[in-house]
Amino acid sequence: MSYTLESLIEQERELELCYFNQDVAWQLGSCIKSLAEQKGASISIEVFGFGQTLFQFCMMGSSADQLDWIRRKRNSVLCYGKSTYYLSLYNEGKKRVFETQPHIDPNEYCAHGGSFPIRIKGSGLVGAVSASGLASLDDHELVTQALKQALDSQKTQ
């Protein structure tokens, strides 16, 4: 799929959850794991909310540095309030690399797709859901697929 900045902003608006708690974090993380297994991918997953890690899983064959990528992706989402895929495309459009800007510490932040803001309708940003191990776009799509499934589940309750 091809995204524009506008379509990513719309995606963030569409994927605001009705509610979020530890059970939803488990649902999101488990869903991403299942989607990755269907693709035969070995990734690491984190669901972070309310200042703490609520779900974390490293699949067989994943690498240790994936958790560091997740931490840096999560930091970017929590700081800028946008998905890391959005941050990547935004900076690409400005003909610059996010991590090389003077005010960005590349040891703490990155703009590689795969981390997405968790927002509750009417409440704002409460966390981030992240995956690492695939190409930037593929990590982004795993996370957004899981958020869409969680939101669809909430709407039918």
Side-chain angles (χ1 to χ4, degrees):
M1 172 149 197
S2 180
Y3 291 99
T4 64
L5 293 176
E6 293 76 22
S7 68
L8 289 167
I9 289 169
E10 180 60 25
Q11 184 180 50
E12 288 181 19
R13 191 169 30 256
E14 289 173 357
L15 294 178
E16 288 185 354
L17 298 173
C18 301
Y19 60 91
F20 179 72
N21 58 28
Q22 285 82 351
D23 291 332
V24 176
W26 180 266
Q27 179 186 3
L28 283 170
S30 299
C31 182
I32 294 168
K33 178 184 178 287
S34 293
L35 292 168
E37 288 171 338
Q38 291 169 22
K39 293 178 176 278
S42 294
I43 66 168
S44 295
I45 306 158
E46 179 190 82
V47 183
F48 185 91
F50 312 113
Q52 61 185 330
T53 300
L54 302 174
F55 179 100
Q56 187 176 70
F57 187 78
C58 300
M59 298 176 74
M60 183 74 71
S62 61
S63 63
D65 72 333
Q66 289 172 352
L67 290 177
D68 192 52
W69 278 99
I70 282 175
R71 179 187 60 80
R72 293 166 52 222
K73 290 178 186 187
R74 172 194 359 113
N75 287 347
S76 297
V77 169
L78 296 178
C79 182
Y80 295 98
K82 295 285 179 203
S83 74
T84 50
Y85 197 69
Y86 175 93
L87 293 172
S88 176
L89 286 184
Y90 177 83
N91 283 281
E92 189 178 292
K94 298 279 186 186
K95 308 240 184 293
R96 65 184 182 205
V97 177
F98 176 81
E99 295 84 357
T100 62
Q101 295 177 76
H103 65 285
I104 302 292
D105 180 350
N107 294 314
E108 298 299 321
Y109 300 93
C110 71
H112 296 270
S115 190
F116 199 90
I118 297 172
R119 287 193 175 88
I120 301 171
K121 289 179 199 273
S123 296
L125 184 66
V126 297
V129 55
S130 309
S132 180
L134 300 173
S136 194
L137 175 60
D138 295 331
D139 279 345
H140 176 83
E141 290 189 338
L142 275 179
V143 166
T144 56
Q145 269 186 277
L147 276 164
K148 180 166 181 359
Q149 287 183 27
L151 182 60
D152 288 348
S153 171
Q154 290 180 2
K155 287 179 177 178
T156 61
Q157 292 178 356

